[in-house]
Amino acid sequence: MKSPDNFGIWGNIEKKSFWDVLPRILSWSKRNKLNASVTERIAKHKNFKSEDINVIKSKSDINNLDFMLVLGGDGTFLSLARTIAEIDTPILGIHLGDLGFLAIVTLKNLFHRLNQVLNGEYTIEKRIMAQATLKKDAKSIEKIALNDFVVCNGQSHRMLNYRLHVDGHLVGNYKADGLVIATPTGSTAYSLSAGGPIVTPKLDSLIVTPIATHTLTSRPIVVPSSSLIEIKFPIDNDSIQFIADGQVHETINSKSQINISCSKYKVELIHFFDTDYFQTLRLKMGWGKRGN
């Protein structure tokens, strides 16, 4: 792969570990003659001490970078992925805690991985995103997600009634705590907790997982990424919550309709030859280990 000339930094500025490691990254970039840029939130923070550094002020600035370094957890990674959905700049995730599913690099091996990127010793993996159109009060609201969309009742302890169609065909009428529509990337998140399958990221598909359904016969389904998923609400309800990646919330009502499909955008992730998806599963979840 191409050796980079520059990169940007996006991070969780609420974490002390971010401010501990940032000066070391900037020193590394200077030693290796790479131009580093930081977001405005970082540059304006009271803890930021560096001078004479490029500041990312718009998406077009990110478009001109060779890669984005995101420091935080998977949540920080998701926020960046949605922000630059239409941009081809690859992302390298640095987890400030343990290994993550998206932020695959830890502080322990940070500079080893950065040196690999510097030397072009990496690969690019493209991940699909999901696109949602909310038809609400004669308006259309567009949302995008790398992990998942969740629909649930805004009123605590109340079940949600919804009708699900895929490509115009009725799947069923549900009474449940809610519904998760996940990408393969998001299959190890909320969808998995709700009983959904793990789907490897290279498979272009969407996973439809009901949450705590009223009937035991309702099961998750996996549909092609070309599918159009439609969600309607047959019973009056003014407090339905729609959530993208667990971070972006929208309140809708039973007169609203939700259409979900695969986005035309893909996120580019930096990966390395000595790591793989199943290795991450084993490390994060104890996948494939025998019980006691």
Side-chain angles (χ1 to χ4, degrees), residues 22 26 29-30 36 38 43 47-55:
L22 180 61
L26 295 178
S29 68
K30 288 181 180 179
V38 300
N47 290 345
F48 190 69
K49 307 299 182 183
S50 300
E51 298 179 359
D52 190 28
I53 193 166
N54 299 320
V55 178

Side-chain angles (χ1 to χ4, degrees), residues 208-249:
V208 183
T209 307
I211 305 170
T213 55
H214 191 62
T215 171
L216 295 177
T217 58
S218 297
R219 291 289 182 264
I221 58 173
V222 179
V223 300
S225 59
S226 58
S227 301
L228 174 62
I229 299 168
E230 299 170 277
I231 306 167
K232 299 178 181 179
F233 308 96
I235 295 179
D236 287 345
N237 189 335
D238 293 327
S239 61
I240 299 169
Q241 290 294 309
F242 180 86
I243 308 164
D245 281 341
Q247 297 175 329
V248 180
H249 296 247

Side-chain angles (χ1 to χ4, degrees), residues 240-276:
I240 299 169
Q241 290 294 309
F242 180 86
I243 308 164
D245 281 341
Q247 297 175 329
V248 180
H249 296 247
E250 186 77 34
T251 300
I252 59 177
N253 56 47
S254 54
K255 295 180 181 179
S256 304
Q257 180 178 328
I258 303 170
N259 293 340
I260 296 175
S261 60
C262 181
S263 171
K264 63 181 179 180
Y265 303 120
K266 290 189 176 183
V267 172
E268 296 192 357
L269 278 59
I270 291 177
H271 275 274
F272 303 96
F273 298 102
D274 60 343
T275 61
D276 62 65

